[in-house]
Every structure is written in structure tokens, then in C-alpha cells.
Amino acid sequence: MENNFSLSDENTEVKKLSEKSIQDILSEYPFIEDFINENRLIEIGILKNKEQTLKEFLQSLSDELCEEEAVNREELYDAFFEYIIQMRAFLNLEDANEVKSLTILPGTNKSGEAETFDELTLYTSQIISIVGPTGSGKSRLLADIEWTAQGDTPTSRSILINGKTPDKTIRFSVNNKLVAQLSQNMNFVMDLSVKEFIELHAESRLIKNKEEAVKNIIEAANNLAGEKFNLDTPITALSGGQSRALMIADTAILSASPIVLIDEIENAGIDRKKALELLVSKEKIVLMATHDPALALYADKRIVIKNGGISSVIETSKKEKEILAELEIMDAKIQNMRTKLRAGEELGLTS
């Protein structure tokens, strides 16, 4: 016997989900199996009718069966899709976190003086360097961005996402993945192999092809690391450079975070240029605090920090890019010498 639901208040999101077959929903959102098991939907035959939509399946149930199994069609229908929506939010699978731009609005420096720029808007696939003396406030700027400050930090800066004030759920949720921060020290405490670590992250992101994700990340990480490692290596046995390489590759390929904050990548023991190229190729906004002149000029623009405030924003000029080419030649020579020393070779005047 077919039954009709009262769905006049069905929102757009639920409508899109309701048009999918049960099989497609199971494939796209494996976590819905928990809901199916907890609500005894297997007993009433949902897995035998996976080609149907949920509405079609519930409509096919007789009143007698619903009464016998204590099934309220309307409540079950609403709860089913509400569960998916809440789990997507919890796992950070929402399209709402799509970020195209990040805007920094001025605050004050340590002396309480107003920062002199109007506003600074950054876009995906851009690299921004943050330069200034030690203790000048570079990390404070990174923290303001990470917490999408709204005039409520010591600098009184405000951060806009896509030109708008970010929703409170983005700011304060413990599951907020808007920003990925790669610090100088990457210390693992979990007793996992590299493969198990990547697979765990892939599963949490509901990646369908875990094997491909593992393969891509280990290849990318070894392309960055000075010394290669394999999938069976315990993550606690990775060197500092290997750990940073793994996390950069993982952040670029698996993480949904659209903004990446890096603190002093020059100390990471990895191929810095390749790391930055990998991140921006995945349409991330990359900000890096650095003391390295080559990295500062490799960026599209640099933010200069003095006395806790942004004193200027400088676009990298054509002339500076020419200087960068010279710096990269010098850097390549230094890297070559470092490699030879590590291999136990002696250096000569032509090294």
C-alpha cells in the first residue's frame, strides 16, 4: 500500500539528498549504516530495496508492518536526512567551507597605534610571506587568521571569509578545518605506521579510494623529504623533515582546509619550493612566516610586521623575481654541498 508524506517544509538540502537512491547514499555516506542499524531498518527490508529512494521505500511499507515494527514514516524520513546533514557538518564535508578569498582588516600594533593598510584580500593559489624580526608579531598574525579574529584578539584585527564575517560555527567548532597550521615541530604520539596514519585520515574524510590516496601522499611526501621513507615506517620514527613532508603532502591532498599557515618552513629539512608548489596546486591560500629571503621573494606578496602590527604589504616586483633567480642558484649550491656532506664526501672549491 502506497503512503504519502507531508513534505511541504522540505528544504533544498534534504530535497537533493532525497532524490538519491539508498544505494547511492550508502556509497557516498557510509556512516549512514549506523543509522540503519540503530533504527532497525534492515529488519523492514531497506537493504533489499537499495535501488529505491528512501521515500519510495517508506511508501512501499504497509500500514500493518509499520504498526508492527513501530515505524513512523515521517519521523524516520526526517531523522534519516538530518543524521546525514549533522554528520557531514561534524566531519567537515559541507560545501559552506569553500573559501575563495581571505580578507584581513586592520587592527593595532603593540603600542595601540592603528595599522596603516585599508584591507588585504588574499585568494586561492596565492603564496603570501610574512616577514619581520623575531618577536615582531608574525605568529600573532597567523593566530588571528586561524581563529578568524573579529576584533577580539590583542591586535583587534578582523578576518573575513569570501568577503563576509565567518559564521560562528566556523569560528568556534572543534571540528573547524578552515585552517591547517604546520608548525616547526611535528611530533607524533600515535603508534601507527605511515600507511595506517594516512588510511585513518582518508577514512575520516570518507575517501572512496584509500589505496590511491595512500599512494599519492607517500609519493608526494618522498618528493619533498631529504631522506625517503616507506609505508611501513612507524610515524614516531620519522625525522623532523620526514614528518613535515608527510604532513604537507597529507594537507595538500587529503585535507579540506582551504587555508594553510606555515611557520618557518626553511627549518623543515624539505624541498621548500616543491612543498609550496604542491600546496598551491590544490587551490590553497598559503601564508608562511619566514626569515629566508628566497622564500620571501618566492611569494606573490609579503606582509611586513613591525612592533606587532602590519607596517606594509609589498607586491613582489619583477626586479625582485630576477634577484630570486640568483638566490635559487646560490641555494641549489648550498643544498648540493649539504647532500655531499651527509654522504660523507669532502667539499672542494668547485662543490
Side-chain angles (χ1 to χ4, degrees):
M1 183 169 99
E2 188 171 294
N3 301 279
N4 295 316
F5 297 112
S6 175
L7 301 176
S8 58
D9 59 345
E10 188 176 40
N11 62 39
T12 303
E13 192 169 13
V14 170
K15 188 174 187 304
K16 288 180 180 178
L17 288 169
S18 68
E19 292 170 353
K20 298 176 184 284
S21 69
I22 295 166
Q23 177 60 60
D24 287 344
I25 288 176
L26 280 165
S27 176
E28 190 170 353
Y29 305 112
F31 56 72
I32 199 63
E33 290 182 12
D34 292 336
F35 181 92
I36 288 173
N37 291 328
E38 291 170 5
N39 289 273
R40 302 182 66 250
L41 291 178
I42 294 177
E43 285 80 354
I44 59 176
I46 192 170
L47 297 184
K48 296 177 182 178
N49 298 276
K50 292 189 289 187
E51 73 285 350
Q52 296 180 328
T53 65
L54 180 64
K55 181 180 180 180
E56 290 169 342
F57 168 67
L58 293 175
Q59 284 178 332
S60 71
L61 302 178
S62 67
D63 288 338
E64 291 78 8
L65 178 61
C66 288
E67 185 174 350
E68 182 180 333
E69 297 293 336
V71 172
N72 183 307
R73 298 184 186 88
E74 287 79 9
E75 289 182 2
L76 189 59
Y77 182 91
D78 292 340
F80 184 90
F81 293 116
E82 181 63 24
Y83 184 84
I84 293 176
I85 292 168
Q86 289 184 0
M87 283 297 292
R88 286 198 321 194
F90 178 77
L91 295 170
N92 195 43
L93 302 177
E94 300 292 352
D95 293 336
N97 275 352
E98 183 179 6
V99 172
K100 296 298 182 184
S101 69
L102 163 74
T103 300
I104 304 170
L105 300 181
T108 59
N109 64 18
K110 291 178 182 178
S111 302
E113 299 166 335
E115 293 176 311
T116 56
F117 69 101
D118 293 327
E119 65 177 47
L120 173 60
T121 299
L122 316 175
Y123 299 93
T124 53
S125 297
Q126 275 192 332
I127 300 173
I128 310 299
S129 61
I130 305 171
V131 300
T134 300
S136 61
K138 298 188 294 296
S139 295
R140 178 68 261 173
L141 174 58
L142 293 179
D144 283 350
I145 294 169
E146 183 176 15
W147 292 103
T148 53
Q150 295 300 306
D152 51 4
T153 67
T155 64
S156 298
R157 294 188 188 109
S158 293
I159 304 298
L160 305 180
I161 302 297
N162 298 332
K164 299 177 181 178
T165 301
D167 189 273
K168 288 183 179 179
T169 58
I170 292 178
R171 292 198 67 202
F172 302 117
S173 171
V174 295
N175 303 299
N176 175 20
K177 299 297 181 184
L178 191 66
V179 171
Q181 183 153 3
L182 299 170
S183 62
Q184 294 183 53
N185 300 311
M186 307 297 297
N187 296 317
F188 295 105
V189 295
M190 301 177 72
D191 186 20
L192 298 173
S193 68
V194 169
K195 181 180 180 182
E196 289 169 335
F197 173 79
I198 300 172
E199 286 180 338
L200 190 63
H201 189 192
E203 287 171 4
S204 73
R205 295 290 309 142
L206 302 182
I207 301 299
K208 295 178 182 178
N209 193 337
K210 287 191 298 183
E211 292 75 15
E212 183 178 356
V214 170
K215 175 176 175 289
N216 291 340
I217 289 172
I218 192 68
E219 285 182 359
N222 276 324
N223 191 39
L224 303 179
E227 184 177 351
K228 298 186 185 303
F229 55 97
N230 58 49
L231 290 172
D232 296 325
T233 304
I235 56 174
T236 52
L238 296 176
S239 68
Q242 290 171 330
S243 298
R244 184 74 78 95
L246 175 61
M247 289 310 300
I248 287 175
D250 182 85
T251 297
I253 296 170
L254 269 188
S255 175
S257 306
I259 302 167
V260 180
L261 308 180
I262 308 176
D263 196 8
E264 298 192 14
I265 193 174
E266 61 264 33
N267 297 328
I270 60 173
D271 189 314
R272 303 159 301 176
K273 186 175 178 180
K274 286 182 180 178
L276 294 172
E277 288 174 346
L278 175 63
L279 289 167
V280 296
S281 72
K282 303 300 180 179
E283 297 189 344
K284 309 283 188 183
I285 300 173
V286 180
L287 295 101
M288 56 177 175
T290 183
H291 294 289
D292 187 308
L295 287 174
L297 296 184
Y298 186 69
D300 299 287
K301 58 183 67 174
R302 61 189 180 273
I303 298 171
V304 183
I305 305 288
K306 293 181 181 178
N307 192 31
I310 296 176
S311 67
S312 61
V313 180
I314 302 174
E315 199 93 22
T316 306
S317 66
K318 183 178 179 181
K319 183 177 180 181
E320 287 180 327
K321 287 296 185 184
E322 292 172 358
I323 294 172
L324 172 62
E326 296 178 16
L327 289 173
E328 288 180 329
I329 293 172
M330 295 167 58
D331 190 55
K333 289 182 178 179
I334 294 171
Q335 293 292 343
N336 181 50
M337 291 180 186
R338 184 178 288 122
T339 300
K340 287 185 176 181
L341 287 171
R342 285 173 174 169
E345 299 178 26
E346 293 185 5
L347 300 183
L349 293 176
T350 58
S351 293

